[in-house]
Amino acid sequence: MATGMWNGGAPTIVSIAERAGVSIASVSRVLNGQGARRDTVERVRRAAAELGYVPNAVARSLKDGRTRQLTFAMPDIGNPVYVAMVRAIQSVTKAAGYRLLLHSTDAVAEDELAVLRSLGDRTSDGLILCPIRITDAHIDALTHAAGPVVVIGSLPDGVPVDSVRADSVAGVALAVAHLHETGRRRIAFLGGPPDTVPGHNRDLGYRTALAAHGLPYDERLVVHTEFGIDSGSAAAERLLPAGPDAIFCANDQLALGAAHALLARGLRVPGDVAVAGMDNSTLAQAGWPPLTSVDLGSSERGRHAAELLLDRLEDRAVHGAFPEPRTTTAPPRLVVRASTAPATDP
């Protein structure tokens, strides 16, 4: 084919085919990643570069109605729990040919709602959302979302989206039972904000577990604070006057902070006070002593959420509609480490 026929303007697959000396169909296959002979791929890419061709992903998305992009919106991109979820989600979505966009909401409701509403802009084919608070505005936005959404977390009954839950109540029961078995009787609770879903569920689990072991609920042994290492340290200081022999923390960040505060006071962990956390994140393994923690299946929940979202995209493509919403629950398991060794006799 002649190579001097292109007269300027935006390069097209026709002009690339002329420059490379191949068919238009071959150019289309190469540019869409559908495979071709090595020499053909090299010629097409060289011709595209010489002509200044830039793939127009937006145009392709308008043509087939899909961006091949998915979004994961989480409260805290620095929390190891969400890092584990990202890795699990990306392993599933990447294998299916999707790019994963990450968005940190800082647990701000308006930011979460904005991400939900952005599905109508067609910048993403679907959304995995991790809200720690569920408001009426969330329920309305989820109900009227312009694309498929999967929530990692608990939702009220009747919200028409898929969800992947952790059983925090059962997880707390495992930790309190373990602490009771090791001889602890003044088991304190360092919880997250009670107006959040995890904060509420873990507080409920703590109260339920105490009752199951015949232990009284003592307000002096309970402190609620923001999730974070520094918050855990400050909250543990507030618990010490009540004389706890164990502190169960609503996540590993709080537990690590509590352990730091105890050690700074010259107290032994676990000799004087045992410490247990929740999430079994990398923080639990990196602390000293290594922290006992309840594994809530962060990676498993991320993988399930990605699989559910891809199923929804397939449902829309094939059937044009969504079946009834589905909910899965990751079972908790207790990972025992040195921070909760059995209490010694005085």
Side-chain angles (χ1 to χ4, degrees):
M1 292 185 181
T3 58
M5 297 176 60
W6 183 62
N7 296 316
T12 66
I13 62 172
V14 174
S15 58
I16 294 172
E18 292 174 347
R19 175 66 65 94
V22 300
S23 68
I24 294 173
S26 294
V27 174
S28 179
R29 284 196 299 272
V30 172
L31 296 181
N32 286 289
Q34 296 174 347
R37 291 169 49 189
R38 182 183 296 274
D39 63 328
T40 299
V41 172
E42 292 175 352
R43 290 163 65 182
V44 169
R45 288 178 176 173
R46 183 168 56 250
E50 291 171 354
L51 296 176
Y53 174 78
V54 177
N56 192 335
V58 174
R60 288 202 299 270
S61 72
L62 291 174
K63 180 179 179 180
D64 64 12
R66 304 176 76 172
T67 66
R68 308 300 297 182
Q69 296 186 150
L70 302 173
T71 300
F72 177 40
M74 74 209 87
D76 180 6
I77 200 168
N79 188 324
V81 169
Y82 300 116
V83 174
M85 287 183 183
V86 167
R87 288 173 176 160
I89 292 168
Q90 183 163 279
S91 68
V92 175
T93 57
K94 185 177 181 180
Y98 285 87
R99 292 181 296 272
L100 184 64
L101 308 178
L102 303 181
H103 186 94
S104 185
T105 65
D106 295 322
V108 176
E110 283 305 315
D111 204 352
E112 293 167 348
L113 295 172
V115 175
L116 272 166
R117 292 166 184 149
S118 72
L119 283 172
D121 299 336
R122 294 180 63 184
T123 55
S124 178
D125 294 332
L127 169 67
I128 298 173
L129 178 67
C130 257
I132 64 172
R133 294 176 178 86
I134 298 293
T135 65
D136 290 342
H138 282 89
I139 294 173
D140 181 69
L142 287 166
T143 301
H144 299 98
V149 181
V150 176
V151 169
I152 298 181
S154 298
L155 288 172
D157 293 337
V159 181
V161 300
D162 295 326
S163 63
V164 182
R165 304 180 180 183
D167 193 341
S168 292
V169 174
V172 176
L174 292 175
V176 171
H178 166 68
L179 292 169
H180 187 269
E181 289 169 1
T182 61
R184 272 74 185 201
R185 296 296 180 266
R186 292 190 59 75
I187 303 171
F189 177 55
L190 207 168
D195 65 330
T196 65
V197 174
H200 169 78
N201 289 344
R202 293 168 199 189
D203 181 76
L204 173 62
Y206 171 71
R207 293 170 183 264
T208 303
L210 287 184
H213 294 282
L215 299 175
Y217 179 85
D218 185 343
E219 290 184 353
R220 296 173 300 168
L221 291 172
V222 177
V223 172
H224 289 278
T225 185
E226 295 297 322
F227 292 112
I229 295 174
D230 291 341
S231 297
S233 295
E237 292 279 356
R238 293 165 56 190
L239 286 171
L240 289 179
D245 56 14
I247 303 176
F248 172 68
C249 304
N251 76 357
D252 290 337
Q253 292 175 307
L254 293 173
L256 187 60
H260 286 172
L262 294 170
L263 294 170
R265 283 288 197 100
L267 295 171
R268 297 170 300 155
V269 178
D272 296 312
V273 184
V275 177
M278 199 165 214
D279 288 328
N280 193 35
S281 67
T282 53
L283 291 177
Q285 303 169 53
W288 187 258
L291 295 169
T292 290
S293 186
V294 178
D295 193 325
L296 294 175
S298 299
S299 295
E300 182 182 1
R301 284 183 285 152
R303 178 173 56 80
H304 281 322
E307 291 169 348
L308 285 172
L309 187 58
L310 292 177
D311 284 348
R312 286 304 188 196
L313 290 167
E314 185 67 19
D315 290 336
R316 182 171 64 175
V318 175
H319 306 293
F322 297 149
E324 290 298 310
R326 294 162 292 182
T327 297
T328 64
T329 302
R333 65 184 182 92
L334 183 69
V335 180
V336 178
R337 298 190 178 92
S339 68
T340 60
T344 56
D345 294 332

